[in-house]
Amino acid sequence: MALSAKRPSRGDEARKRILHDVTEASGKKKRLNAEIEEALYRRIKMKAVEEGRSISDITRDLWSEYLSNE
């Protein structure tokens, strides 16, 4: 499958379905890697420990929030 530079247009129903699929906890997971500054990582890790959450949980929540604002 080739990647396209064009973003396909999607209706509201398709967007809602995709967002549901993304936030569904029982779905198949993919690994996401990103490079961030060490100081930022330490701040994220400390906040996650304070909240009793994993960095993965926080990251999924942030992506879901970001995508819901489209």
Side-chain angles (χ1 to χ4, degrees), residues 43-61:
R43 289 179 58 204
I44 295 167
K45 183 67 174 177
M46 287 186 341
K47 184 75 169 179
V49 169
E50 288 172 6
E51 295 179 357
R53 300 172 67 194
S54 70
I55 292 175
S56 292
D57 289 338
I58 293 169
T59 303
R60 278 190 294 273
D61 288 348

Side-chain angles (χ1 to χ4, degrees), residues 21-33:
D21 291 347
V22 168
T23 57
E24 183 65 33
S26 63
K28 183 177 176 183
K29 293 182 174 51
K30 291 287 191 178
R31 179 164 298 277
L32 173 69
N33 294 317

Side-chain angles (χ1 to χ4, degrees), residues 4 7 9 11 24 35 41-42 48 51 57 62 66-67:
S4 172
R7 182 176 179 191
S9 61
E24 183 65 33
E35 292 185 11
Y41 176 81
R42 284 193 304 259
E51 295 179 357
D57 289 338
L62 290 170
Y66 175 76
L67 293 171

